[in-house]
Amino acid sequence: MKKVVKFGGSSLASAEQFRKAGSIIRNDSARRYVVPSAPGKRNPEDIKVTDLLYQCYKQAILHDDSEHDFEELLEKIKERYQEIIDGLKLDLSLEGEFRIIRENFTKKAGRDYAASRGEYLNGIIMAAYLGYEFIDAAEVIRFGENKEFDAEKTNEILTERLKHTEKAVIPGFYGASEGGKIVTFSRGGSDITGSLVARAVQADTYENWTDVSGFLIADPRIIPNARSIEVITYRELRELSYMGATVLHEDAIFPVRREGIPINIRNTNAPEEEGTWIVESTCQKSRYIITGIAGKRGFCSVNIEKDMMNSEIGFGRKVLQAFEDQGISFEHVPSGIDTMTVFVHQDEFMDKEQKVASAIHRLAGPDAIEIESDLALVAVVGRGMKSTRGTAGRIFSALAHKNVNVRMIDQGSSELNIIIGVSDSDFEKAIQAIYEIFVEVQL
Ligand code: ASP
């Protein structure tokens, strides 16, 4: 058995958290490859080391008067690591590393280099703490000269490097070009490194340890104590992530998905819990008919009316052309006999609304155009909906009971999701109503 374990920033924010991670790893001899993030927040007011590094680098590249802030910030970063080393009683000094980092910062080694040091140093500590080999991600994660990630080259190098390595720590978030220039993934990118390592070693499982017990059915800011999802498919995850639910970096899915390696999201602070399994396909029914609910705010609808629209060939294309010409992407396009509605992101659309409206008039000659703002979309996602009658009916009666007016309905052709448009002020109420009817009623 081989498992790749990635620990997020809050799981490694202090010596105490490191100890929890250490005992999780030691508890299962299959946990042979460890991918750490940089130390995250120890409490809600704290600052992540990655953010301190960005700030510090900013000061380093400014001139003279910023010298003081630069030194102070670097000292603060050093202290965070020292606290972990002392707390773990490790015989390890990062003095030499900090000397090099300081020098490279003053030589303007780049923002990516700066940010990557968070994971790099945490990796050194983790390797010393576990007695695992340390492998610098710069050697095994490959980017092109234009900072584009090279998946195949990386897989080749990583596979070869890890073939005979029994146990190793590979820091997350960064890699390097062939010439040695450090490049990072986008924020949260350690998830991607974990997935790449899992692919390279053909792991049985990619465990992603964080500070929540898996992927929650709904946003805990809207549903306090929301239950977690036991098993979710990649497609369901994609639908929910698109609608704003975040646990995992989006690009972390592809490398493991292509190899059929499941991802297990776990909680470092509650390791006894199973967390969420993310899989390609499953015959396991979800405990509730729905798998999850997510939503996004900030939409506008453009309602277009024209008599006999349904018999006019090319009407839809002309309307959408008006949006395309202004570089605006649309989210949903429900239509009726003489009406068609285009849902767009309010912030993209606002400055261009009159241009779009006049283009629709010019291209499609409608009878009327009406624009509504402050709409929200709620997605109810679940593989179980396909085979269950009455899901839509339950959703709408729950919403009606809570006095939520439904402005739009769109059921994806895969029957995996139902998307509902509501007014922004009803957003939370709508999610609560749906959660109640599918989850709480069944408890
Ligand atoms: N440390 C990086 C960040 O804060 C990457 C990560 O944690 O995944 O975004």
Side-chain angles (χ1 to χ4, degrees), residues 6-10 36-40 48-51 54 115 118-119 172-174 185-193 249:
K6 179 256 166 181
F7 285 88
S10 54
S37 278
K48 285 175 151 197
V49 165
T50 309
D51 291 312
Y54 280 126
E119 271 68 11
F173 191 38
Y174 72 96
F185 292 112
S186 55
R187 294 300 302 264
S190 298
D191 285 343
I192 307 172
T193 312
H249 194 296

Side-chain angles (χ1 to χ4, degrees), residues 202-323:
Q202 294 285 305
D204 296 279
T205 308
Y206 169 27
E207 288 182 348
N208 193 295
W209 292 83
T210 172
D211 54 6
V212 282
S213 289
F215 207 86
L216 302 180
I217 294 179
D219 188 337
R221 286 167 297 188
I222 299 173
I223 311 284
N225 304 320
R227 304 199 131 228
S228 57
I229 298 169
E230 289 167 0
V231 184
I232 184 171
T233 64
Y234 290 120
R235 286 181 62 206
E236 290 174 308
L237 180 72
R238 165 116 182 89
E239 300 278 352
L240 288 171
S241 313
Y242 183 71
M243 287 302 265
T246 49
V247 167
L248 202 67
H249 194 296
E250 227 188 350
D251 296 340
I253 294 175
F254 189 65
V256 283
R257 183 176 183 175
R258 58 182 289 166
E259 304 292 328
I261 301 168
I263 306 175
N264 187 198
I265 310 272
R266 299 283 288 263
N267 188 349
T268 306
N269 303 316
E272 65 289 352
E273 287 173 18
E274 256 298 288
T276 299
W277 284 90
I278 306 170
V279 298
E280 173 75 46
S281 181
T282 175
C283 61
Q284 278 193 48
K285 296 217 169 58
S286 39
R287 176 146 21 142
Y288 313 103
I289 292 165
I290 60 161
T291 302
I293 315 163
K296 271 195 206 168
R297 317 178 91 128
F299 289 94
C300 277
S301 70
V302 183
N303 309 317
I304 301 133
E305 266 182 53
K306 187 173 187 182
D307 256 356
M308 309 295 284
M309 175 194 289
N310 62 332
S311 55
E312 188 180 325
I313 291 171
F315 186 84
R317 180 183 50 75
K318 290 174 201 158
V319 168
L320 293 179
Q321 181 78 49
F323 289 88

